[in-house]
Amino acid sequence: MSNGINFAFLDEYAKREIRRSVIKAICIPGYQVPYSSREMPMGRGFGTGGLQLTLALIGANDSLKVIDQGSDDSVNAVNLRKFVEMTCPGIDTTTRLQEATLIQSRHRIPENSLRADQILVLQVPYPDALVIVEPSEDKRKIMHSEADYSRLLVKLYEDIVKFDEITISHRYPTRINGHYIIDPSPIPRYDVPKLHNSNALILFGAGREKKIYAVPPHCSAEPLAFDDVPFRVENFTDSHGERRACKQCGSRESFLDEFIDEQGERVYQCSDSDYCEQQQELARG
Amino acid sequence: MIDLIWHAEFQQTVFRCVVEAFSRPAQINVLPECEHHAAIAVLATLVDGESSLADPHQQLDNTHWLRLQVKPTATESAAFILCQGSRTVDFEPNLGTLVSPEKGATLVIIIDDINGGDRTYQFSGVGMETPVLIAPQGLHVSWFKQRANWNSAFPLGIDMLLATKDGILALPRTTQIKEIN
Amino acid sequence: MGYVAIKGGGRAIEGAADALELLRTQQGESGQPLDIETIEKQLYFLHSRIISEGGLYHPKLAALAIKQSLGDTLEASFALRAYRSTKPRLLETPEHDTTNMRLVRRISASFKDIPGGQMLGPTTDYALRLLRMELLNESPAQFQNIAKTLFANLPTQTIPDSFPKVLDSLRAEGLLPKVNQAAREQPFDITREPLVFPVSRSAALATMARGETGSLLAIAYSNMRGYGDVHPTVAELRVGYLPIMLPHPITGELTEVGEVLMTECEVVAMYQDNDNKNAIPTFTLGYGACFGHNEVKAISMAILDRALQKGMKDGAENPSEDPEFVLLHVDGIDSMGFASHYKMPHYVTFQSDMDRLRTTQQKQEASHE
């Protein structure tokens, strides 16, 4: 190849190591498989873990969609997509969910459900849900192996005592297949139920922390909660108790971004830009 | 001219089949066409000098070992074990440890056919919406018996991949197997 | 529309790349592009740092990395490290003995004189840090003359190809533990295997060898100042060229394929309780080594090696003795990447944060009413 760059950037040994880790991650749902994690030509924290997964998976028949904060056009999504286009000649990229076979995302799971022939790759900054109660990885590994999550539950309980509410906003601890608790990456709580019984394989890549984990298709994913304080997703109702709508497409079902427009008004808009555009196309007929 | 299975492009397509197989256990996945047994294609895709491989039933020849760039390892410690399904189980694989269950081995087992055998098994668990029935041919009864022992203390255990000439079927350690009479 | 902040991302990125390229070439028509060899030679210590933190001994590409990153050490090491990801590991060298180094400098703080003698070599240690105003307008002729004059006055006696090591004489006297051949481990390759704690000493050394100089220095300094008690003496610090031997692809015979500039530091620290009550007490050792000429880094690493060995044996009492704390926080590529990533949009998670805060506020207000 020109520029001396391999197809999909990584050398074949690096890909094989990632591939072996992916297989073990699928076989042990929710367990963080350590891997050596090569340096990528973009910053640690910019999705290098997700990118290494994408590069180990992608082939000539794939159509790739890259999103960040739900949008295909945010700077980081553009940057990652350009890099894959540059290093993987012959693959397709798309912004439409239904055309994609491989979706790499940061902070969101698409609004519409995924299909069985799609793979979702999520970028992960902090792979371990236990990090909020235990800084030592050595000790956390032992806690995971014994499925000892009592300290995490105590943290949730303390929240309820202090605030009468679980204050975890995103990265909501979720138990996979009744055993391991994962950090589902900084997706909002709104997206957590989509992990449960998903049609598609969902892979998580943490490049800086050097971990790969998976929620396989048709696997249970239960957000931690108590019987009397249930898990709750983000609330988008206004002061009259009405569900807010996207100002572009009018959807009252999507996760909304809130911002102040140039007139100083607070407005709401779909975070998933592809969903929003397709809703508008439907409305136009 | 190097055989197809040693090419990066081919290995990528095989890898996607293997991902699909482990994601949806008990589903039959046909590999892209090549001149080798599916078991060899899978090893070519996943094994190199930075991994380890055991061949207790001597299924590999010298050329395979050279191409795989790996030296034979004892079955007790190998990450991958190539097995002949018609034989009885005659080794103890690495089951991993509680803090490192990923060290549990992957068994690639050569069988004659995915179906048509005289024992029928029901598979259920992660990756299957409903239970699936399979009757593998050329798989000695001891394999699933031993598997139950090896996988009795999750997350410890082994993951299996049954390989016919051109197809694969995977059984990760989460799959429950029951014999149907 | 208020959404523009994240629309047009592609164009914005191209614009940013152009703006950076303009910054690099802002001298305009009067500017001269930096020559790769000039960077390697005249920015010698910067170049050494990049080779070391980038973890790849490629002098030419290290100089290129410095040039394209406008001298940013973190960015330059990063580019070199990312280049390394595209290369397979084809061969492994056997263990190398640094006694074979062709030295340009070696000093010992523990003895007035050492076998083979002290050799100060190029160092700023005793220089007065006064700005040399004459260099503001140094002409090429003046510059070239310096080397010519210095070469003309070189002493004729030759320096031996190698020097004995100070530690060997300490060992011979029984002041240091004997090398435990049985405890020698297969070196851990941090580029091929993830660190899973507890890690071996070789994994710790490899991690520090490509660690970020400032990060290593800060943690080592905390130990020196009292958050720890290594109190090292530099037994030997050496800088020089180590011949690299590889097995010949056909005959298998070890063959010299080149040499690498490296810095090595061995510190001796006070003796510790020994598990074996009958054993004779000895000094303890700390070891640091890295590519390039990086003395502060090698010393910091040697102190941290000693501190970590103590922590691994008796449990960590200070941050510098905790392997997880030290090894997971000294990599410049990891830490700068993560610090930079906070500049990326985070509005989905912030939306989620606002939702929790508002809900909690409403509940508090309701309970006060």
Side-chain angles (χ1 to χ4, degrees):
Chain A
M1 241 195 84
S2 65
N3 220 357
I5 298 178
N6 314 314
F7 179 86
F9 187 74
L10 297 164
D11 71 77
E12 293 304 311
Y13 299 86
K15 284 182 205 156
R16 259 186 230 109
E17 192 216 355
I18 297 168
R19 288 170 180 171
R20 290 191 290 265
S21 306
V22 166
I23 297 301
K24 286 301 168 191
I26 297 170
C27 291
I28 316 168
Y31 169 74
Q32 303 162 54
V33 181
Y35 78 114
S36 64
S37 186
R38 304 292 203 270
E39 277 79 13
M40 303 307 291
M42 58 266 299
R44 293 286 207 200
F46 286 67
T48 58
L51 184 61
Q52 288 179 71
L53 283 173
T54 296
L55 295 175
L57 287 162
I58 203 164
N61 298 326
D62 277 307
S63 181
L64 175 73
K65 173 178 166 74
V66 185
I67 44 179
D68 187 329
Q69 314 289 298
S71 163
D72 298 88
D73 199 32
S74 95
V75 277
N76 194 48
V78 172
N79 204 30
L80 289 167
R81 187 167 52 242
K82 273 179 128 179
F83 178 75
V84 178
E85 280 170 348
M86 180 182 91
T87 56
C88 306
I91 64 126
D92 285 328
T93 55
T94 179
T95 59
R96 291 174 86 86
L97 179 65
Q98 58 270 41
E99 289 170 3
T101 53
L102 207 55
I103 302 129
Q104 178 169 338
S105 172
R106 170 171 174 262
H107 294 194
R108 277 310 309 275
I109 296 177
E111 293 290 341
N112 284 328
S113 29
L114 299 166
R115 290 191 315 260
D117 63 337
Q118 296 175 314
I119 297 177
L120 174 65
V121 173
L122 285 168
Q123 304 171 195
V124 180
Y126 307 93
D128 200 331
L130 285 173
V131 77
I132 55 172
V133 294
E134 174 54 61
S136 160
E137 186 176 332
D138 195 12
K139 293 191 186 124
R140 291 198 303 264
K141 270 184 90 74
I142 294 168
M143 290 162 75
H144 278 298
S145 71
E146 294 166 349
D148 170 11
Y149 297 112
S150 48
R151 283 165 67 189
L152 202 57
L153 287 162
V154 169
K155 163 86 177 67
L156 256 57
Y157 178 72
E158 282 172 352
D159 255 23
I160 296 165
V161 171
K162 230 185 278 174
F163 300 109
D164 194 21
E165 185 73 31
I166 296 170
T167 61
I168 300 174
S169 56
H170 54 277
R171 289 175 55 205
Y172 198 92
T174 305
R175 191 185 283 262
I176 304 305
N177 193 31
H179 190 99
Y180 291 104
I181 287 181
I182 62 162
D183 182 321
S185 89
I187 53 172
R189 301 191 305 292
Y190 177 90
D191 286 344
V192 171
K194 296 177 195 162
L195 298 172
H196 181 72
N197 199 25
S198 157
N199 288 318
L201 166 65
I202 304 174
L203 293 171
F204 298 79
R208 188 180 45 85
E209 296 285 345
K210 306 178 170 60
K211 301 287 187 311
I212 289 169
Y213 51 108
V215 177
H218 305 297
C219 180
S220 78
E222 308 148 296
L224 285 198
F226 296 100
D227 290 342
D228 49 345
V229 184
F231 166 81
R232 264 196 289 260
V233 301
E234 287 78 359
N235 181 1
F236 288 106
T237 49
D238 63 17
S239 51
H240 311 293
E242 213 168 307
R243 175 60 150 88
R244 292 183 200 278
C246 166
K247 80 165 178 114
Q248 297 280 352
C249 72
S251 169
R252 290 181 189 275
E253 277 153 24
S254 63
F255 185 87
L256 299 171
D257 289 334
E258 164 185 337
F259 57 95
I260 311 290
D261 70 9
E262 273 153 28
Q263 284 73 47
E265 298 278 317
R266 185 189 295 170
V267 290
Y268 292 84
Q269 190 170 334
C270 290
S271 132
D272 184 334
S273 58
D274 166 53
Y275 169 84
C276 191
E277 269 157 40
Q278 295 202 35
Q279 290 293 112
Q280 291 175 59
E281 279 171 27
L282 276 175
R284 281 195 296 269
Chain B
M1 182 62 194
I2 299 175
D3 278 352
L4 207 53
I5 63 163
W6 310 108
H7 281 276
E9 249 181 277
F10 185 79
Q11 292 181 6
Q12 185 271 336
T13 55
V14 174
F15 173 62
R16 289 294 283 276
C17 284
V18 176
V19 167
E20 186 62 16
F22 277 103
S23 299
R24 298 168 212 283
Q27 175 183 294
I28 302 162
N29 293 270
V30 179
L31 294 193
E33 210 171 304
C34 70
E35 288 179 0
H36 288 263
H37 196 278
I40 308 293
V42 168
L43 293 180
T45 303
L46 294 175
V47 175
D48 59 33
E50 285 161 25
S51 176
S52 54
L53 172 65
D55 180 24
H57 303 146
Q58 283 93 46
Q59 303 294 310
L60 297 175
D61 61 30
N62 236 344
T63 336
H64 291 135
W65 286 106
L66 278 175
R67 280 270 173 232
L68 289 166
Q69 302 174 359
V70 67
K71 291 197 178 75
T73 308
T75 42
E76 293 72 34
S77 55
F80 290 85
I81 306 174
L82 180 61
C83 320
Q84 176 50 257
S86 55
R87 312 236 323 215
T88 53
V89 180
D90 51 0
F91 59 82
E92 281 299 320
N94 187 352
L95 305 181
T97 61
L98 276 178
V99 287
S100 299
E102 80 280 13
K103 301 232 161 82
T106 305
L107 272 54
V108 178
I109 307 173
I110 298 172
I111 60 168
D112 297 334
D113 208 339
I114 301 283
N115 270 310
D118 40 14
R119 285 166 194 271
T120 304
Y121 298 92
Q122 175 185 294
F123 301 88
S124 60
V126 173
M128 287 166 277
E129 282 187 277
T130 50
V132 181
L133 298 181
I134 298 282
Q137 245 186 82
L139 183 72
H140 191 269
V141 62
S142 59
W143 289 96
F144 285 166
K145 287 216 169 102
Q146 276 301 330
R147 181 187 181 273
N149 293 332
W150 293 330
N151 290 1
S152 60
F154 184 86
L156 300 186
I158 52 103
D159 307 299
M160 278 185 170
L161 193 127
L162 307 183
T164 65
K165 203 187 163 313
D166 57 359
I168 56 173
L169 177 149
L171 300 166
R173 64 192 76 180
T174 49
T175 304
Q176 315 286 323
I177 305 181
K178 206 165 73 181
E179 194 177 339
I180 303 282
N181 296 317
Chain C
M1 170 179 110
Y3 219 23
V4 285
I6 61 143
K7 285 279 175 194
R11 261 184 303 133
I13 290 174
E14 279 162 26
D18 287 348
L20 187 65
E21 193 61 356
L22 189 63
L23 197 62
R24 193 175 73 83
T25 56
Q26 64 184 329
Q27 269 178 297
E29 284 174 19
S30 66
Q32 290 291 322
L34 266 173
D35 178 66
I36 291 298
E37 209 181 336
T38 305
I39 296 173
E40 189 182 335
K41 297 292 191 301
Q42 293 193 45
L43 300 177
Y44 169 82
F45 287 111
L46 171 63
H47 184 261
S48 266
R49 181 165 173 168
I50 302 314
I51 281 219
S52 156
E53 293 174 15
L56 177 72
Y57 198 86
H58 199 314
K60 188 174 166 190
L61 292 185
L64 171 66
I66 291 168
K67 177 174 170 154
Q68 78 175 41
S69 65
L70 286 67
D72 182 322
T73 57
L74 292 164
E75 284 290 347
S77 313
F78 192 172
L80 202 57
R81 209 64 95 73
Y83 173 79
R84 193 187 196 287
S85 293
T86 66
K87 299 293 162 209
R89 181 183 64 178
L90 298 176
L91 281 172
E92 275 175 61
T93 69
E95 279 176 41
H96 277 57
D97 185 349
T98 50
T99 311
N100 301 328
M101 265 167 94
R102 185 164 66 77
L103 294 184
V104 296
R105 166 164 162 80
R106 57 116 48 160
I107 52 161
S108 171
S110 51
F111 296 101
K112 189 175 173 190
D113 202 2
I114 45 177
Q118 308 254 15
M119 184 164 79
L120 217 47
T123 175
T124 56
D125 286 350
Y126 303 100
L128 295 175
R129 270 70 160 196
L130 299 173
L131 284 173
R132 293 171 61 195
M133 299 301 177
E134 73 272 19
L135 297 188
L136 274 174
N137 286 307
E138 191 180 25
S139 73
Q142 283 169 326
F143 183 86
Q144 288 147 8
N145 241 332
I146 297 170
K148 205 190 285 173
T149 320
L150 289 176
F151 270 118
N153 298 328
L154 275 189
T156 45
Q157 91 218 46
T158 50
I159 304 173
D161 284 342
S162 64
F163 288 82
K165 299 200 70 171
V166 175
L167 285 190
D168 289 340
S169 54
L170 288 173
R171 243 185 221 110
E173 274 189 63
L175 298 175
L176 280 176
K178 290 203 170 61
V179 176
N180 185 353
Q181 295 291 352
R184 283 207 167 177
E185 37 177 307
Q186 184 68 22
F188 186 96
D189 186 347
I190 55 164
T191 70
R192 290 295 179 277
E193 278 178 80
L195 289 183
V196 177
F197 290 90
V199 298
S200 64
R201 185 173 169 218
S202 75
L205 290 171
T207 305
M208 292 193 285
R210 57 177 206 176
E212 201 267 335
T213 309
S215 311
L216 289 165
L217 174 62
I219 305 179
Y221 183 49
S222 74
N223 186 294
M224 299 176 219
R225 277 196 67 257
Y227 290 89
D229 57 356
V230 170
H231 305 297
T233 303
V234 172
E236 185 168 357
L237 176 97
R238 40 169 66 197
V239 180
Y241 292 86
L242 180 70
I244 296 298
M245 312 295 280
L246 273 178
H248 188 279
I250 295 162
T251 64
E253 195 186 338
L254 281 182
T255 314
E256 185 177 332
V257 293
E259 53 182 14
V260 296
L261 174 65
M262 61 175 290
T263 308
E264 183 189 51
C265 177
E266 283 157 324
V267 300
V268 170
M270 274 312 274
Y271 50 92
Q272 279 182 350
D273 290 348
N274 208 309
D275 294 335
N276 180 355
K277 293 289 169 215
N278 300 324
I280 303 163
T282 54
F283 284 129
T284 54
L285 267 179
Y287 183 79
C290 58
F291 284 152
H293 187 165
N294 299 287
E295 298 182 17
V296 164
K297 176 171 179 175
I299 297 166
S300 302
M301 177 174 164
I303 292 169
L304 287 174
D305 173 44
R306 177 85 293 277
L308 290 177
Q309 285 187 66
K310 178 174 180 274
M312 288 173 186
K313 185 166 162 280
D314 304 327
E317 290 169 16
N318 294 288
S320 58
E321 293 161 4
D322 181 342
E324 274 199 50
F325 186 87
V326 175
L327 301 177
L328 295 181
H329 298 115
V330 295
D331 191 81
I333 313 305
D334 286 355
S335 58
M336 74 82 95
F338 207 53
S340 299
H341 113 282
Y342 286 111
K343 294 182 278 188
M344 281 203 294
H346 278 82
Y347 50 79
V348 168
T349 51
F350 193 66
Q351 184 74 51
S352 208
D353 289 344
M354 285 195 292
D355 166 84
R356 289 294 75 192
L357 180 61
R358 284 171 181 156
T359 308
T360 314
Q361 282 178 340
Q362 279 162 10
K363 284 205 166 177
Q364 294 268 346
E365 278 163 18
S367 70
H368 288 315
E369 274 163 15

